[in-house]
Coordinates of all heavy atoms in Angstrom, one line a residue:
M146 N 113.4 74.3 -34.7 CA 112.3 73.4 -34.7 C 111.5 73.7 -36.0 O 111.0 74.9 -36.1 CB 111.4 73.5 -33.5 CG 110.3 72.4 -33.4 SD 109.7 72.4 -31.8 CE 108.5 71.0 -31.9
S147 N 111.2 72.8 -36.7 CA 110.4 73.0 -38.0 C 108.8 73.0 -37.6 O 108.4 72.3 -36.8 CB 110.7 72.0 -39.0 OG 110.4 70.8 -38.6
S148 N 108.2 73.8 -38.4 CA 106.7 73.8 -38.1 C 106.0 72.9 -39.2 O 105.9 71.7 -39.0 CB 106.2 75.2 -38.2 OG 106.7 76.0 -39.2
G149 N 105.7 73.4 -40.3 CA 105.0 72.6 -41.4 C 103.5 72.9 -41.4 O 103.1 74.1 -41.5
I150 N 102.8 71.8 -41.3 CA 101.3 72.0 -41.4 C 100.7 71.4 -40.1 O 101.3 70.5 -39.5 CB 100.7 71.2 -42.6 CG1 101.0 69.8 -42.6 CG2 101.3 71.9 -43.9 CD1 100.1 69.0 -43.6
C151 N 99.5 71.9 -39.9 CA 98.8 71.5 -38.7 C 98.4 70.0 -38.9 O 97.8 69.7 -39.9 CB 97.5 72.3 -38.5 SG 96.5 71.7 -37.2
S152 N 98.6 69.1 -38.0 CA 98.3 67.7 -38.1 C 96.7 67.6 -38.1 O 96.3 66.5 -38.5 CB 98.8 66.9 -37.0 OG 100.3 67.1 -36.9
R153 N 96.0 68.5 -37.6 CA 94.6 68.3 -37.5 C 93.7 68.8 -38.7 O 92.9 68.2 -39.2 CB 94.1 68.9 -36.2 CG 92.7 68.5 -35.8 CD 92.3 69.0 -34.3 NE 91.0 68.8 -34.1 CZ 90.1 69.5 -34.5 NH1 90.3 70.7 -35.1 NH2 88.7 69.3 -34.1
C154 N 94.0 70.1 -39.0 CA 93.3 70.7 -40.0 C 94.1 71.0 -41.3 O 93.5 71.5 -42.3 CB 92.7 72.0 -39.6 SG 93.9 73.4 -39.3
S155 N 95.3 70.6 -41.3 CA 96.1 70.7 -42.5 C 96.4 72.2 -42.9 O 96.9 72.5 -44.0 CB 95.6 70.0 -43.8 OG 95.4 68.6 -43.3
R156 N 96.3 73.1 -41.9 CA 96.5 74.5 -42.2 C 98.0 74.6 -42.3 O 98.8 74.1 -41.6 CB 96.0 75.3 -41.2 CG 95.9 76.8 -41.6 CD 95.4 77.7 -40.3 NE 96.6 78.3 -39.8 CZ 96.5 79.3 -38.8 NH1 95.3 79.7 -38.4 NH2 97.6 79.8 -38.3
I157 N 98.5 75.4 -43.3 CA 100.0 75.6 -43.4 C 100.3 76.6 -42.4 O 99.8 77.7 -42.2 CB 100.2 76.1 -44.9 CG1 100.1 75.0 -45.9 CG2 101.8 76.5 -44.9 CD1 100.1 75.5 -47.4
I158 N 101.4 76.2 -41.6 CA 101.9 77.1 -40.7 C 103.2 77.7 -41.2 O 104.2 77.2 -41.6 CB 102.3 76.3 -39.3 CG1 101.0 75.8 -38.7 CG2 103.0 77.2 -38.4 CD1 101.1 74.5 -37.8
Q159 N 103.1 79.1 -41.4 CA 104.2 79.9 -42.0 C 105.2 80.0 -41.0 O 105.1 80.1 -39.8 CB 103.6 81.3 -42.4 CG 102.5 81.2 -43.4 CD 102.8 80.7 -44.7 OE1 103.9 80.5 -45.1 NE2 101.8 80.5 -45.6
P160 N 106.5 80.2 -41.5 CA 107.6 80.4 -40.5 C 107.3 81.7 -39.7 O 106.8 82.7 -40.2 CB 108.8 80.8 -41.5 CG 108.4 80.1 -42.8 CD 106.9 80.1 -42.8
G161 N 107.5 81.5 -38.4 CA 107.2 82.6 -37.5 C 105.8 82.5 -36.9 O 105.5 83.3 -35.9
D162 N 104.9 81.8 -37.5 CA 103.5 81.6 -37.0 C 103.6 80.8 -35.6 O 104.4 80.0 -35.5 CB 102.7 80.9 -38.0 CG 102.1 81.7 -39.0 OD1 102.4 82.9 -39.0 OD2 101.2 81.2 -39.8
L163 N 102.7 81.2 -34.9 CA 102.4 80.4 -33.6 C 101.9 79.0 -33.9 O 100.9 78.9 -34.7 CB 101.6 81.2 -32.6 CG 101.3 80.7 -31.3 CD1 102.7 80.7 -30.5 CD2 100.3 81.5 -30.5
F164 N 102.6 78.1 -33.3 CA 102.0 76.7 -33.4 C 102.3 75.9 -32.2 O 103.2 76.4 -31.3 CB 102.6 76.0 -34.7 CG 104.0 75.6 -34.7 CD1 104.5 74.3 -34.2 CD2 105.1 76.5 -34.9 CE1 105.8 73.9 -34.1 CE2 106.4 76.2 -34.9 CZ 106.7 75.0 -34.4
Y165 N 101.8 74.8 -32.0 CA 102.0 74.0 -30.8 C 102.5 72.7 -31.2 O 102.0 72.0 -32.2 CB 100.7 73.9 -29.9 CG 100.3 75.3 -29.5 CD1 99.6 76.1 -30.2 CD2 100.7 75.6 -28.2 CE1 99.2 77.4 -29.8 CE2 100.4 77.0 -27.8 CZ 99.6 77.8 -28.5 OH 99.2 79.0 -28.0
S166 N 103.3 72.0 -30.3 CA 103.8 70.7 -30.6 C 103.1 69.8 -29.6 O 103.1 70.1 -28.4 CB 105.4 70.7 -30.3 OG 105.8 69.4 -30.2
L167 N 102.5 68.8 -30.1 CA 101.7 67.8 -29.2 C 102.4 66.5 -29.2 O 102.6 65.9 -30.2 CB 100.3 67.8 -29.7 CG 99.5 66.7 -29.1 CD1 99.2 67.0 -27.6 CD2 98.1 66.6 -29.9
L168 N 102.8 66.2 -28.0 CA 103.4 64.9 -27.9 C 102.6 63.9 -27.0 O 102.4 64.3 -25.8 CB 104.8 65.0 -27.3 CG 105.7 63.8 -27.1 CD1 106.0 63.0 -28.5 CD2 107.0 64.1 -26.5
I169 N 102.2 62.9 -27.4 CA 101.3 62.0 -26.7 C 102.1 60.7 -26.4 O 102.6 60.1 -27.3 CB 100.0 61.6 -27.4 CG1 99.2 62.8 -27.7 CG2 99.2 60.7 -26.6 CD1 97.9 62.6 -28.6
K170 N 102.3 60.4 -25.2 CA 103.0 59.1 -24.8 C 102.0 58.2 -24.1 O 101.4 58.7 -23.1 CB 104.1 59.5 -23.9 CG 105.3 60.3 -24.5 CD 106.3 60.6 -23.6 CE 107.5 61.4 -24.2 NZ 108.6 61.5 -23.3
V171 N 102.0 57.1 -24.6 CA 101.1 56.0 -24.0 C 101.8 54.8 -23.6 O 102.5 54.2 -24.4 CB 100.0 55.5 -25.1 CG1 99.1 54.5 -24.5 CG2 99.3 56.7 -25.7
S172 N 102.0 54.6 -22.3 CA 102.7 53.6 -21.9 C 101.9 52.7 -20.8 O 100.9 53.2 -20.2 CB 104.0 54.1 -21.0 OG 103.6 54.9 -20.0
S173 N 102.1 51.4 -20.8 CA 101.4 50.6 -20.0 C 101.7 50.8 -18.6 O 102.8 51.0 -18.1 CB 101.8 49.0 -20.4 OG 103.0 48.8 -19.9
G174 N 100.6 50.8 -17.7 CA 100.7 51.0 -16.4 C 101.0 49.7 -15.7 O 100.6 48.6 -16.1
F175 N 101.6 49.7 -14.5 CA 101.9 48.5 -13.8 C 101.8 48.9 -12.2 O 102.4 49.8 -11.7 CB 103.3 48.0 -14.0 CG 103.6 46.8 -13.3 CD1 102.8 45.7 -13.4 CD2 104.9 46.8 -12.4 CE1 103.1 44.5 -12.7 CE2 105.0 45.5 -11.7 CZ 104.2 44.4 -12.0
D176 N 100.7 48.1 -11.7 CA 100.5 48.5 -10.2 C 101.3 47.6 -9.3 O 100.9 47.6 -8.1 CB 99.0 48.4 -10.0 CG 98.4 47.1 -10.3 OD1 99.1 46.1 -10.5 OD2 97.2 47.0 -10.2
G177 N 102.1 46.8 -9.7 CA 102.8 45.8 -8.9 C 102.2 44.6 -8.7 O 102.7 43.6 -8.1
V178 N 101.0 44.3 -9.4 CA 100.3 43.1 -9.1 C 100.4 42.2 -10.3 O 100.1 42.7 -11.5 CB 98.7 43.3 -8.7 CG1 98.1 42.0 -8.7 CG2 98.7 44.1 -7.5
I179 N 100.9 41.0 -10.3 CA 100.9 40.1 -11.4 C 99.8 39.1 -11.1 O 99.8 38.3 -10.1 CB 102.3 39.4 -11.6 CG1 103.4 40.5 -11.8 CG2 102.2 38.5 -12.7 CD1 104.8 40.0 -11.7
N180 N 98.8 38.9 -12.1 CA 97.8 38.0 -11.9 C 98.3 36.7 -12.5 O 98.6 36.4 -13.6 CB 96.5 38.4 -12.7 CG 95.9 39.6 -11.9 OD1 95.7 39.6 -10.7 ND2 95.5 40.5 -12.7
I181 N 98.4 35.7 -11.6 CA 98.9 34.3 -12.0 C 97.7 33.3 -11.7 O 97.4 33.0 -10.6 CB 100.1 33.8 -11.3 CG1 101.3 34.9 -11.6 CG2 100.4 32.5 -11.7 CD1 102.5 34.7 -10.8
K182 N 97.1 33.0 -12.9 CA 95.9 32.1 -12.6 C 96.3 30.7 -12.7 O 95.8 29.9 -11.9 CB 94.8 32.4 -13.8 CG 94.2 33.6 -13.7 CD 93.3 33.9 -14.9 CE 92.7 35.3 -14.8 NZ 92.8 36.0 -16.2
D183 N 97.3 30.4 -13.5 CA 97.9 29.0 -13.6 C 99.0 28.8 -12.6 O 100.0 29.5 -12.6 CB 98.3 28.9 -15.1 CG 98.7 27.4 -15.3 OD1 98.8 26.6 -14.4 OD2 99.1 27.1 -16.4
E184 N 98.8 27.8 -11.7 CA 99.7 27.6 -10.6 C 101.1 27.1 -11.3 O 102.2 27.3 -10.7 CB 99.3 26.6 -9.7 CG 98.4 27.2 -8.6 CD 97.9 26.3 -7.7 OE1 98.5 25.2 -7.5 OE2 96.8 26.3 -7.2
K185 N 101.1 26.6 -12.5 CA 102.2 26.1 -13.1 C 102.9 27.2 -14.0 O 103.7 26.8 -14.8 CB 101.9 24.8 -14.0 CG 101.6 23.7 -13.2 CD 101.3 22.4 -14.0 CE 100.0 22.5 -14.8 NZ 99.6 21.5 -15.6
Y186 N 102.4 28.4 -13.8 CA 103.1 29.4 -14.5 C 104.4 29.6 -14.3 O 105.0 29.6 -13.3 CB 102.4 30.8 -13.9 CG 102.8 32.0 -14.7 CD1 102.1 32.4 -15.8 CD2 103.8 32.8 -14.2 CE1 102.4 33.6 -16.5 CE2 104.1 33.9 -14.8 CZ 103.4 34.4 -16.0 OH 103.8 35.4 -16.6
D187 N 105.1 29.4 -15.5 CA 106.6 29.4 -15.5 C 107.1 30.8 -16.1 O 106.9 31.0 -17.4 CB 107.1 28.3 -16.2 CG 108.6 28.1 -16.3 OD1 109.3 29.1 -15.9 OD2 109.1 27.1 -16.4
I188 N 107.6 31.5 -15.3 CA 108.0 33.0 -15.8 C 109.1 32.9 -16.9 O 109.0 33.6 -17.9 CB 108.4 33.9 -14.6 CG1 108.3 35.4 -15.1 CG2 109.8 33.5 -14.1 CD1 107.9 36.3 -14.1
S189 N 110.0 31.9 -16.7 CA 111.0 31.9 -17.8 C 110.4 31.4 -19.1 O 110.8 31.8 -20.2 CB 112.2 30.9 -17.4 OG 111.6 29.7 -17.1
E190 N 109.4 30.5 -18.9 CA 108.8 30.0 -20.2 C 108.0 31.1 -20.8 O 108.0 31.3 -22.1 CB 107.8 28.9 -19.9 CG 107.3 28.0 -20.9 CD 106.4 27.0 -20.5 OE1 106.8 26.0 -19.8 OE2 105.3 27.0 -20.8
E191 N 107.3 31.8 -20.1 CA 106.5 33.0 -20.6 C 107.5 34.0 -21.2 O 107.2 34.6 -22.3 CB 105.8 33.7 -19.5 CG 104.6 32.9 -19.0 CD 103.6 32.7 -20.1 OE1 103.2 33.7 -20.8 OE2 103.1 31.5 -20.2
F192 N 108.6 34.1 -20.6 CA 109.6 35.1 -21.1 C 110.2 34.6 -22.5 O 110.3 35.5 -23.4 CB 110.8 35.3 -20.1 CG 111.7 36.3 -20.5 CD1 111.4 37.6 -20.4 CD2 113.1 36.0 -20.8 CE1 112.3 38.6 -20.8 CE2 113.9 37.1 -21.1 CZ 113.6 38.3 -21.1
E193 N 110.3 33.3 -22.6 CA 110.8 32.8 -23.9 C 109.8 33.1 -25.0 O 110.1 33.4 -26.1 CB 111.1 31.3 -23.8 CG 112.3 31.0 -22.9 CD 113.6 31.6 -23.5 OE1 113.8 31.5 -24.8 OE2 114.4 32.1 -22.8
K194 N 108.6 32.8 -24.6 CA 107.4 33.1 -25.5 C 107.4 34.6 -26.0 O 107.4 34.8 -27.2 CB 106.1 32.8 -24.8 CG 105.1 31.9 -25.6 CD 103.8 31.8 -25.0 CE 103.8 30.7 -23.8 NZ 102.5 30.8 -23.1
V195 N 107.5 35.4 -25.1 CA 107.6 36.9 -25.4 C 108.7 37.3 -26.2 O 108.6 38.0 -27.3 CB 107.6 37.7 -24.1 CG1 107.9 39.2 -24.4 CG2 106.3 37.7 -23.4
K196 N 109.9 36.5 -26.0 CA 111.0 36.9 -26.8 C 110.9 36.5 -28.3 O 111.5 37.0 -29.0 CB 112.3 36.2 -26.3 CG 112.9 37.0 -25.2 CD 114.5 36.6 -25.0 CE 114.7 35.2 -24.7 NZ 116.1 34.8 -24.3
S197 N 110.0 35.5 -28.5 CA 109.9 35.1 -29.9 C 108.8 36.0 -30.7 O 108.7 35.9 -31.8 CB 109.3 33.6 -29.9 OG 108.0 33.6 -29.3
Y198 N 108.2 36.9 -29.9 CA 107.3 37.9 -30.6 C 108.3 38.8 -31.4 O 109.3 39.1 -30.9 CB 106.4 38.6 -29.6 CG 105.3 37.7 -28.9 CD1 104.8 38.2 -27.8 CD2 104.9 36.6 -29.5 CE1 103.8 37.4 -27.1 CE2 104.0 35.8 -28.9 CZ 103.4 36.2 -27.7 OH 102.5 35.5 -27.1
P199 N 107.7 39.4 -32.4 CA 108.4 40.5 -33.1 C 108.6 41.7 -32.1 O 107.7 42.0 -31.4 CB 107.7 40.9 -34.2 CG 106.6 39.9 -34.4 CD 106.5 39.2 -33.2
E200 N 109.8 42.2 -32.0 CA 110.0 43.2 -31.1 C 109.2 44.5 -31.1 O 108.7 45.0 -30.1 CB 111.6 43.7 -31.0 CG 112.0 44.3 -29.8 CD 113.5 44.6 -29.8 OE1 114.2 43.7 -30.3 OE2 113.9 45.7 -29.5
E201 N 108.8 44.8 -32.4 CA 107.9 46.0 -32.6 C 106.6 45.8 -31.9 O 106.0 46.7 -31.4 CB 107.8 46.2 -34.1 CG 108.5 47.5 -34.5 CD 108.4 47.5 -36.1 OE1 107.4 47.6 -36.6 OE2 109.6 47.5 -36.7
L202 N 106.1 44.6 -32.0 CA 104.8 44.3 -31.5 C 104.7 44.5 -30.0 O 103.8 45.0 -29.5 CB 104.4 42.9 -31.9 CG 102.9 42.4 -31.7 CD1 102.1 43.1 -32.8 CD2 102.8 40.9 -31.7
I203 N 105.8 44.0 -29.4 CA 105.9 44.2 -27.9 C 106.0 45.6 -27.5 O 105.4 46.2 -26.6 CB 107.1 43.4 -27.4 CG1 107.0 41.9 -27.6 CG2 107.3 43.6 -25.9 CD1 108.2 41.1 -27.4
N204 N 106.9 46.3 -28.3 CA 107.0 47.8 -28.0 C 105.7 48.5 -28.0 O 105.4 49.3 -27.3 CB 108.1 48.3 -28.8 CG 109.5 47.9 -28.4 OD1 109.6 47.3 -27.3 ND2 110.5 47.9 -29.3
E205 N 104.9 48.2 -29.1 CA 103.6 48.8 -29.3 C 102.7 48.5 -28.2 O 101.8 49.3 -27.8 CB 103.0 48.4 -30.6 CG 103.7 49.2 -31.8 CD 102.9 49.2 -33.0 OE1 101.6 48.6 -33.0 OE2 103.3 49.7 -34.0
E206 N 102.8 47.3 -27.6 CA 101.9 46.9 -26.5 C 102.2 47.8 -25.3 O 101.4 48.1 -24.5 CB 102.1 45.5 -26.1 CG 101.4 44.5 -27.0 CD 99.9 44.6 -26.8 OE1 99.5 44.5 -25.7 OE2 99.2 44.7 -27.9
V207 N 103.4 48.1 -25.0 CA 103.9 48.7 -23.9 C 104.0 50.2 -23.9 O 103.8 50.9 -23.0 CB 105.3 48.1 -23.5 CG1 105.9 48.8 -22.2 CG2 105.2 46.6 -23.2
Y208 N 104.4 50.6 -25.2 CA 104.7 52.1 -25.1 C 104.4 52.5 -26.7 O 104.9 51.9 -27.6 CB 106.2 52.3 -24.9 CG 106.6 53.8 -24.8 CD1 106.2 54.6 -23.8 CD2 107.2 54.3 -26.0 CE1 106.6 55.9 -23.8 CE2 107.4 55.7 -26.0 CZ 107.1 56.4 -24.9 OH 107.5 57.8 -24.9
R209 N 103.6 53.6 -26.8 CA 103.6 54.3 -28.0 C 103.7 55.7 -27.9 O 103.3 56.3 -26.9 CB 102.1 53.9 -28.6 CG 102.0 52.5 -28.8 CD 101.0 52.3 -30.0 NE 101.4 52.8 -31.2 CZ 100.6 52.7 -32.3 NH1 99.5 52.2 -32.3 NH2 101.1 53.3 -33.4
E210 N 104.1 56.3 -29.0 CA 104.3 57.8 -28.9 C 103.8 58.4 -30.2 O 103.9 57.8 -31.3 CB 105.9 58.0 -28.8 CG 106.2 59.4 -28.3 CD 107.7 59.5 -28.1 OE1 108.2 59.0 -27.1 OE2 108.4 60.2 -28.9
F211 N 103.1 59.5 -30.0 CA 102.5 60.3 -31.1 C 103.0 61.7 -31.1 O 102.9 62.3 -30.0 CB 101.0 60.2 -31.2 CG 100.4 58.8 -31.1 CD1 100.2 58.2 -29.9 CD2 100.1 58.1 -32.2 CE1 99.7 56.9 -29.8 CE2 99.5 56.8 -32.1 CZ 99.2 56.2 -30.9
Q212 N 103.4 62.2 -32.2 CA 103.9 63.6 -32.2 C 103.1 64.3 -33.2 O 103.0 63.9 -34.4 CB 105.3 63.7 -32.4 CG 105.8 65.2 -32.2 CD 107.1 65.3 -31.9 OE1 108.0 64.3 -32.1 NE2 107.6 66.5 -31.4
Y213 N 102.5 65.5 -33.0 CA 101.7 66.3 -33.8 C 102.1 67.7 -33.8 O 102.6 68.1 -32.8 CB 100.2 66.2 -33.6 CG 99.7 64.7 -33.6 CD1 99.4 64.0 -32.4 CD2 99.4 64.1 -34.8 CE1 98.9 62.8 -32.5 CE2 98.9 62.8 -34.8 CZ 98.8 62.1 -33.7 OH 98.1 60.8 -33.7
V214 N 101.7 68.5 -34.8 CA 101.9 69.9 -34.8 C 100.4 70.5 -34.9 O 99.7 70.0 -35.7 CB 102.8 70.4 -36.0 CG1 102.7 71.9 -36.1 CG2 104.2 69.9 -35.8
L215 N 100.2 71.4 -34.0 CA 98.8 72.0 -34.1 C 98.8 73.5 -34.2 O 99.8 74.2 -33.6 CB 98.1 71.7 -32.8 CG 97.8 70.2 -32.4 CD1 97.0 70.1 -31.0 CD2 96.9 69.6 -33.5
C216 N 98.0 74.0 -35.0 CA 97.8 75.5 -35.1 C 97.1 75.9 -33.9 O 96.5 75.1 -33.1 CB 97.0 75.8 -36.4 SG 95.3 75.3 -36.3
P217 N 97.1 77.2 -33.5 CA 96.5 77.7 -32.2 C 95.0 77.2 -32.1 O 94.6 76.9 -31.1 CB 96.8 79.2 -32.4 CG 97.8 79.4 -33.2 CD 97.8 78.3 -34.2
R218 N 94.2 77.3 -33.2 CA 92.9 77.0 -33.2 C 92.7 75.5 -32.8 O 91.9 75.2 -31.9 CB 92.3 77.4 -34.5 CG 90.7 77.2 -34.5 CD 90.1 77.6 -35.8 NE 88.8 77.0 -36.0 CZ 88.6 75.8 -36.5 NH1 89.6 75.1 -37.1 NH2 87.4 75.4 -36.6
C219 N 93.4 74.6 -33.4 CA 93.3 73.2 -33.1 C 93.9 72.9 -31.7 O 93.3 71.9 -31.1 CB 94.0 72.4 -34.2 SG 93.2 72.5 -35.8
K220 N 94.8 73.7 -31.3 CA 95.3 73.4 -29.9 C 94.2 73.7 -28.9 O 94.0 73.0 -28.0 CB 96.6 74.3 -29.7 CG 97.1 74.3 -28.3 CD 96.7 75.6 -27.6 CE 97.2 75.7 -26.2 NZ 96.6 76.9 -25.4
E221 N 93.4 74.8 -29.1 CA 92.3 75.1 -28.2 C 91.3 74.0 -28.2 O 90.8 73.6 -27.2 CB 91.7 76.5 -28.7 CG 92.6 77.6 -28.4 CD 92.9 77.9 -26.9 OE1 92.0 77.6 -26.1 OE2 94.0 78.1 -26.6
I222 N 91.0 73.5 -29.4 CA 90.0 72.5 -29.6 C 90.4 71.2 -29.0 O 89.8 70.6 -28.2 CB 89.7 72.2 -31.2 CG1 89.0 73.5 -31.6 CG2 88.7 71.0 -31.3 CD1 88.9 73.4 -33.2
Y223 N 91.8 70.8 -29.1 CA 92.3 69.7 -28.6 C 92.3 69.7 -27.0 O 91.8 68.8 -26.3 CB 93.7 69.4 -29.1 CG 94.3 68.2 -28.4 CD1 94.0 66.9 -28.8 CD2 95.2 68.4 -27.3 CE1 94.5 65.8 -28.1 CE2 95.8 67.4 -26.7 CZ 95.4 66.0 -27.1 OH 95.9 65.0 -26.3
C224 N 92.9 70.8 -26.6 CA 92.9 71.0 -25.1 C 91.5 71.1 -24.3 O 91.4 70.7 -23.2 CB 93.7 72.3 -24.7 SG 95.4 72.1 -25.1
A225 N 90.6 71.5 -25.1 CA 89.2 71.4 -24.5 C 88.6 70.1 -24.2 O 87.9 69.9 -23.4 CB 88.2 72.3 -25.4
N226 N 89.1 69.1 -25.0 CA 88.6 67.8 -24.9 C 89.7 66.8 -25.4 O 89.5 66.3 -26.5 CB 87.3 67.7 -25.6 CG 86.6 66.4 -25.2 OD1 87.1 65.6 -24.6 ND2 85.4 66.2 -25.9
P227 N 90.8 66.6 -24.7 CA 91.9 65.7 -25.2 C 91.5 64.4 -25.5 O 92.0 63.8 -26.5 CB 92.9 65.8 -24.1 CG 92.7 67.0 -23.3 CD 91.1 67.2 -23.3
L228 N 90.6 63.8 -24.8 CA 90.3 62.4 -25.0 C 89.0 62.3 -26.0 O 88.4 61.1 -26.1 CB 90.0 61.7 -23.7 CG 91.2 61.4 -22.9 CD1 90.9 60.8 -21.6 CD2 92.4 60.7 -23.6
N229 N 88.5 63.4 -26.4 CA 87.3 63.4 -27.3 C 86.2 62.8 -26.7 O 85.5 61.9 -27.3 CB 87.7 62.7 -28.7 CG 86.7 63.0 -29.7 OD1 86.1 64.0 -29.7 ND2 86.6 62.1 -30.7
L230 N 86.0 63.0 -25.4 CA 84.9 62.5 -24.7 C 83.6 63.1 -25.1 O 83.5 64.3 -25.5 CB 85.1 62.9 -23.1 CG 86.5 62.2 -22.5 CD1 86.5 62.7 -21.2 CD2 86.3 60.6 -22.5
P231 N 82.4 62.4 -25.0 CA 81.1 63.0 -25.3 C 80.8 64.0 -24.3 O 81.1 63.8 -23.1 CB 80.2 61.8 -25.2 CG 81.0 60.7 -24.5 CD 82.4 61.0 -24.7
L232 N 80.3 65.1 -24.8 CA 80.0 66.2 -23.9 C 78.7 65.9 -23.2 O 77.7 66.1 -23.8 CB 80.0 67.6 -24.7 CG 81.4 67.9 -25.4 CD1 81.1 69.1 -26.2 CD2 82.5 68.1 -24.4
G233 N 78.8 65.5 -21.9 CA 77.6 65.1 -21.2 C 76.7 66.2 -20.9 O 77.0 67.4 -20.8
G234 N 75.4 65.8 -20.9 CA 74.3 66.8 -20.4 C 73.7 67.7 -21.5 O 72.6 68.0 -21.7
S235 N 74.7 68.2 -22.4 CA 74.2 69.2 -23.4 C 74.2 68.7 -24.9 O 74.6 69.4 -25.7 CB 75.1 70.5 -23.2 OG 76.3 70.2 -23.4
E236 N 73.9 67.4 -25.0 CA 73.8 66.9 -26.3 C 72.7 67.5 -27.1 O 71.5 67.6 -26.6 CB 73.6 65.3 -26.2 CG 74.7 64.5 -25.6 CD 75.9 64.3 -26.8 OE1 75.6 64.1 -27.9 OE2 77.0 64.7 -26.3
P237 N 73.1 67.9 -28.3 CA 71.9 68.4 -29.1 C 70.9 67.4 -29.5 O 71.3 66.2 -29.8 CB 72.6 69.0 -30.4 CG 74.0 68.4 -30.4 CD 74.3 67.9 -29.0
E238 N 69.6 67.7 -29.5 CA 68.7 66.6 -29.7 C 68.2 66.6 -31.2 O 68.1 67.7 -31.8 CB 67.5 66.8 -28.8 CG 68.0 66.7 -27.3 CD 67.1 66.2 -26.3 OE1 65.9 65.7 -26.7 OE2 67.4 66.1 -25.2
Ligands
LIG518 ZN1 94.8 73.2 -37.2

């Protein structure tokens, strides 16, 4: 497995250095419910419409994957707050 540079801080990761591989997979959730507002909803018609979209666009809607390399420091920072949420309560004023 090749290392390279940290995706976050661009630090060069030397061969043998500790580094972390970060793989983020984002896929659309499906709870089994299909909302059909239009009674004349024709699933085959919708399907035809979808088929005419560029395939890449559909795939991006449904599934995305990101892969990063992190140095140990950036891994700690990332893991402390993966979604980059605002830190509640202790905002500096
Ligand atoms: Zn880093």
Side-chain angles (χ1 to χ4, degrees):
M146 189 165 183
S147 66
S148 43
I150 65 165
C151 174
S152 304
R153 191 174 172 278
C154 71
S155 301
R156 199 184 98 163
I157 292 165
I158 296 162
Q159 303 288 353
D162 274 4
L163 185 62
F164 70 96
Y165 295 86
S166 163
L167 170 65
L168 180 63
I169 302 172
K170 295 181 179 187
V171 185
S172 56
S173 68
F175 182 55
D176 61 3
V178 178
I179 300 169
N180 289 313
I181 300 173
K182 289 179 190 127
D183 184 355
E184 279 179 27
K185 286 182 289 182
Y186 185 87
D187 182 341
I188 197 145
S189 60
E190 196 180 292
E191 290 299 311
F192 188 66
E193 287 301 315
K194 226 188 280 175
V195 168
K196 272 208 299 192
S197 67
Y198 294 158
E200 201 172 313
E201 249 170 64
L202 193 74
I203 299 169
N204 289 342
E205 279 199 4
E206 279 294 307
V207 175
Y208 183 80
R209 296 210 58 184
E210 201 174 287
F211 305 86
Q212 188 157 19
Y213 301 105
V214 168
L215 294 179
C216 69
R218 189 175 158 269
C219 289
K220 173 256 182 190
E221 288 300 320
I222 294 167
Y223 175 78
C224 288
N226 192 358
L228 292 182
N229 198 24
L230 298 171
L232 300 171
S235 55
E236 291 284 313
E238 306 213 358

